[in-house]
Structures are given as C-alpha cells and as structure tokens.
Amino acid sequence: QVQLVESGGGLVQPGGSLRLSCAASGSIFSIHAMGWYRQAPGKQRELVATITRDGITNYAESVKGRFAISRDFAKKMVYLQMNGLRPEDTALYTCYLGGLNDYWGQGTQVTVSS
C-alpha cells in the first residue's frame, strides 16, 4: 500500500514563505513524476508544480518565480518552497506521485492572511 504524507503547511502572512514536504512510502516500484496540486474552497483542484524523474519542472503561471519544486526520488521525497505568498495561495495542498499508478496524499493546509 502506498502512502503519501505531506507536512509544512500553516498560517503565514502575505509575503512570507513556507516549505512543504511530501514523503512517499510503500510498494513504489518506479516514480515518473511527483508534484503538488491545490484546491481552494469552492474551486477546482489545480496543478501547482510537478517534477519528473529527469528533473523537468512544470509550474502554474500564477506561481512561477515564487515557488520552487525539488525532489529526492531515492528518498521518495518531493518539496515545494513557496516564497512571496499571497492570500490567493490559500488552499489545501496535496502531494501527487505518478508511477505505475497515480497516488495522492491527504493534503496540508496553507493559509495566507494578515
């Protein structure tokens, strides 16, 4: 059974920073990509950032230049450094792992508010 556990969310003021981490465990035979999605209340889930096994990254336009994704697939970890946070970044951030199957975590809440 595969499990993804996120950490690092919380309450931060506008302009602040947070670093999210996601640890994968279980029977994972290969990882093609990992990443982060988010869902704000009343909105659909959207891609934030993904990174492939080869290090190719993809970001939502709204976070380019502010967020940075990194990975250590040997440790089955993915990270999201979030700088310059804005109130519109408030959402439940969920970790994603794409391998032979797709897996999702439970999410970590990020709230940006003064």
Side-chain angles (χ1 to χ4, degrees):
Q1 187 174 356
V2 175
Q3 187 175 21
L4 303 180
V5 178
E6 303 97 334
S7 61
L11 173 64
V12 63
Q13 293 187 341
S17 298
L18 285 174
R19 186 174 188 249
L20 305 184
S21 298
C22 173
S25 62
S27 301
I28 302 170
F29 298 104
S30 66
I31 300 176
H32 300 317
M34 292 185 75
W36 295 90
Y37 286 71
R38 68 185 181 186
Q39 186 169 19
K43 295 187 177 180
Q44 289 189 332
R45 184 169 61 187
E46 64 176 358
L47 178 146
V48 178
T50 59
I51 185 167
T52 70
R53 182 173 52 193
D54 297 329
I56 298 172
T57 58
N58 182 40
Y59 293 93
E61 284 296 326
S62 60
V63 307
K64 282 183 179 179
R66 300 187 297 123
F67 292 10
I69 190 169
S70 60
R71 94 281 193 225
D72 184 342
F73 283 179
K75 295 182 178 180
K76 302 176 185 176
M77 298 283 297
V78 67
Y79 310 94
L80 186 68
Q81 178 66 43
M82 305 187 294
N83 300 323
L85 283 161
R86 304 167 180 168
E88 54 264 38
D89 294 318
T90 295
L92 182 70
Y93 284 70
T94 304
C95 179
Y96 159 81
L97 186 153
L100 295 179
N101 296 293
D102 293 340
Y103 302 97
W104 299 88
Q106 294 297 309
T108 184
Q109 179 66 37
V110 171
T111 302
V112 185
S113 175
S114 56

